[in-house]
Amino acid sequence: MPNLIVVGTQWGDEGKGKIVDILARDADVVVRFQGGSNAGHTVVNARDTFVFHLIPSGILYRGKLCIIGNGVVVDPEALIDEMDRLQAKGVEIGKNLVISHRAHLIMPYHKAIEKASEQSKGSRRIGTTGRGIGPSYADKMARIGIRVGDLLNPGLFRQKLEENLAEMNCFLERLYQVSGFQVEKVFQQYMGYAERLKSCMADTSVVLNRAIEQGKNVLFEGAQGTHLDVDFGTYPFVTSSSAAAGGACTGTGVGPTAIDAVMGVAKAYTTRVGSGPFPTELKDEVGEGLQERGKEFGATTGRPRRCGWFDGVLVRYATRVNGMASLAVTKLDVLDGCRELKICTGYRHAGRLYKEMPGDLQVLSECEPVYEVLPGWRNATTGATSYKALPPQAKRYLDRIEELAACPIDIISTGSRRDETIVLRNPLASARPKRGRARNAR
Ligand code: GDP
Ligand code: IMO
Ligand code: MG
């Protein structure tokens, strides 16, 4: 049965939560493989609106196993808060949630260091979510991180905490001149979290590979997006994890041979939160219109998202680095009523035409987008559930997205609700997804 990775193709917030929720109906297991509570994945169902930060977006279905993989950085306070909120809304959380004991913990000093570091950078700041993500991954790579499984060994946990705080307090107090942390206080706080989380911990690589051997469908839920990936994104204006499809293997302990396909989620336009280059950004009333109609305010921090036209170069790059077999295009309805639509086909810089993303950040930030203009549509696409019902101009727009992205569209989303969706082909319902079939299916 197919195992599918879902990733963002832009700078996050493409609507991955909605798409994962729809696909999760046909999955047995949903697993997060990277990032942490910097993610905000929104799912709207008949009952309510849910925003997931650490818990996979499949949790709303009964009988699905939801896994937080080893590649995730876990803030136990945020996780417990999320569990409590969901339970208060009547969502079952018990044996259906499993956390890798290899996942790294976010500690209070990670958030404090991130805050102080961002402040000290002034205008060069990354505009992080303030969730301690970067410092926690930095500790993991520096081999001083504390893992979820360490919570079960109080002696070792305390020793690691003491060693880390000796160094981190020095940074905080001497370099940044802010208060440090007391070992005992943090220790007690985390032992409290251990009590709550100990029954959820497991070797999730074993759990996942067993499920795959049994022929179950596994959905890998990416957070952030390709252009926030630490290797392939607009470095240093990125997050600190592997948000592209490659991260799904290292972040779960499932080998690449077990993966059948990758689906990329792309908004019908582009948004970005935080700093960094954004060639098709609209700083005028057109951009404000997209922000307003698309309700483009962060699901995690509430910050306004920068908005711009669809960028074909950006998404084609995502098709390549993720090996995407298909696309889910979201928020088509937000473009309803636009007289004309621009779509970026390349960049111009210093007299040179770029058809691929320049690797040099300086060049990228100075690029001028090359646009093609397409007619807009008058009839609303909001809530459309059939491809046939879409206005011809919207079909033409989607065709151009497919061509520029070099990737067929499987799903079109026309509203935030589950049913406001056109599924041309369900990648979890067919044995081995092939490229190009969605176009023929129309
Ligand atoms: P994620 O981080 O990729 O899961 O995306 P977010 O949840 O942060 O942001 C996407 C927002 O768009 C959420 O508020 C969704 O409810 C909403 N959304 C998703 N798909 C559609 C759509 O097709 N149309 C509209 N209007 N809203 C959508
Ligand atoms: P989802 O999963 C949009 C951005 C931040 C900042 C940069 C680094 O909901 O798509 P970090 O806190 O990760 O160190 O911040 O990455 N960022 C996101 N932008 N959606 C997200 O997640 C994001 N997670 C991080 O705004 O620019
Ligand atoms: Mg989001």
Side-chain angles (χ1 to χ4, degrees):
M1 296 295 262
N3 299 312
L4 177 75
I5 302 173
V6 176
V7 289
T9 60
Q10 295 154 325
W11 282 290
D13 302 328
E14 297 90 349
K16 299 175 292 293
K18 168 173 171 168
I19 299 300
V20 168
D21 170 70
I22 287 170
L23 294 170
R25 203 173 32 203
D26 295 306
D28 303 292
V29 185
V30 185
V31 54
R32 272 280 305 271
F33 56 87
Q34 44 71 234
S37 44
N38 49 349
H41 296 180
T42 315
V43 175
V44 183
N45 71 9
R47 266 196 288 163
D48 216 329
T49 295
F50 301 85
V51 180
F52 300 109
H53 300 289
L54 276 160
I55 296 180
S57 302
I59 200 84
L60 298 178
Y61 295 93
R62 280 183 184 272
K64 313 277 177 194
L65 184 61
C66 287
I67 295 182
I68 297 179
N70 57 278
V72 174
V73 282
V74 178
D75 178 346
E77 187 182 7
L79 176 60
I80 292 167
D81 182 58
E82 193 170 342
M83 289 161 76
D84 288 345
R85 280 169 192 266
L86 286 169
Q87 280 174 331
K89 284 187 171 191
V91 179
E92 180 200 329
I93 302 209
K95 287 206 166 77
N96 56 342
L97 180 66
V98 187
I99 309 159
S100 169
H101 57 212
R102 288 191 175 84
H104 279 248
L105 287 170
I106 292 187
M107 306 297 294
Y109 47 85
H110 291 139
K111 292 184 215 172
I113 286 176
E114 178 180 340
K115 191 173 165 199
S117 154
E118 280 278 275
Q119 270 170 3
S120 75
K121 282 197 178 105
S123 62
R124 288 183 305 105
R125 72 181 175 276
I126 294 163
T128 65
T129 59
R131 301 298 191 264
I133 306 294
S136 176
Y137 277 116
D139 280 5
K140 169 177 174 173
M141 291 312 184
R143 295 159 295 180
I144 56 166
I146 308 182
R147 306 210 286 189
V148 166
D150 295 335
L151 287 169
L152 300 180
N153 185 342
L156 180 71
F157 183 91
R158 182 189 275 275
Q159 186 197 327
K160 285 188 167 187
L161 181 63
E162 273 171 7
E163 285 169 9
N164 285 358
L165 272 184
E167 194 177 320
M168 301 301 162
N169 279 344
C170 191
F171 266 130
L172 287 167
E173 287 161 5
R174 298 218 198 134
L175 180 64
Y176 294 125
Q177 283 157 21
V178 295
S179 320
F181 293 85
Q182 289 167 10
V183 173
E184 191 55 33
K185 235 171 146 176
V186 179
F187 177 75
Q188 291 304 337
Q189 191 185 2
Y190 275 66
M191 286 304 108
Y193 301 145
E195 226 13 73
R196 177 78 190 270
L197 297 177
K198 66 182 179 198
S199 61
C200 310
M201 295 177 205
D203 187 334
T204 50
S205 167
V206 172
V207 177
L208 278 163
N209 282 284
R210 196 176 293 145
I212 291 170
E213 274 163 29
Q214 290 168 352
K216 298 205 166 138
N217 281 355
V218 180
L219 194 53
F220 296 79
E221 177 177 359
Q224 290 79 52
T226 305
H227 296 274
L228 287 173
D229 179 281
V230 70
D231 287 282
F232 298 110
T234 44
Y235 191 89
F237 298 101
V238 293
T239 191
S240 302
S241 67
S242 297
C249 290
T250 52
T252 58
V254 172
T257 46
I259 310 290
D260 294 283
V262 180
M263 172 181 268
V265 185
K267 233 176 237 185
Y269 47 99
T270 315
T271 63
R272 173 164 206 167
V273 204
S275 325
F278 180 175
T280 62
E281 182 170 13
L282 291 163
K283 292 183 174 161
D284 56 11
E285 64 281 3
V286 182
E288 282 165 23
L290 289 175
Q291 190 182 69
E292 201 176 306
R293 287 197 303 280
K295 301 195 180 71
E296 295 297 354
F297 296 90
T300 296
T301 58
R303 289 179 293 174
R305 297 172 182 152
R306 299 154 66 192
C307 295
W309 294 121
F310 184 87
D311 186 339
V313 184
L314 207 69
V315 179
R316 188 167 59 249
Y317 176 96
T319 301
R320 173 164 52 84
V321 304
N322 294 302
M324 277 152 46
S326 66
L327 266 176
V329 176
T330 62
K331 302 193 104 162
L332 185 70
D333 54 295
V334 174
L335 300 178
D336 287 356
C338 286
R339 206 169 42 84
E340 58 175 33
L341 300 162
K342 288 187 182 166
I343 196 162
C344 172
T345 60
Y347 304 138
R348 212 176 281 288
H349 181 265
R352 193 180 145 188
L353 181 68
Y354 287 77
K355 288 281 177 188
E356 299 293 340
M357 295 273 300
D360 182 326
L361 194 82
Q362 181 78 34
V363 173
L364 183 68
S365 42
E366 290 166 6
C367 275
E368 286 295 323
V370 177
Y371 285 123
E372 201 173 278
V373 181
L374 275 83
W377 49 90
R378 278 215 206 105
N379 298 352
T381 66
T382 307
T385 52
S386 103
Y387 181 77
K388 284 197 187 84
L390 293 179
Q393 298 88 341
K395 289 181 184 164
R396 192 164 151 207
Y397 184 72
L398 291 166
D399 281 350
R400 198 64 188 119
I401 286 183
E402 255 185 2
E403 282 164 11
L404 288 170
C407 193
I409 298 171
D410 271 357
I411 297 179
I412 301 156
S413 173
T414 57
S416 55
R417 292 202 333 246
R418 267 182 188 169
D419 54 337
E420 295 174 317
T421 311
I422 301 168
V423 180
L424 298 168
R425 194 186 64 94
N426 177 349
L428 283 180
S430 61
R432 231 175 217 277
K434 296 228 165 42
R435 294 182 75 117
R437 294 234 315 263
R439 282 173 79 82
N440 304 337
R442 282 179 212 163

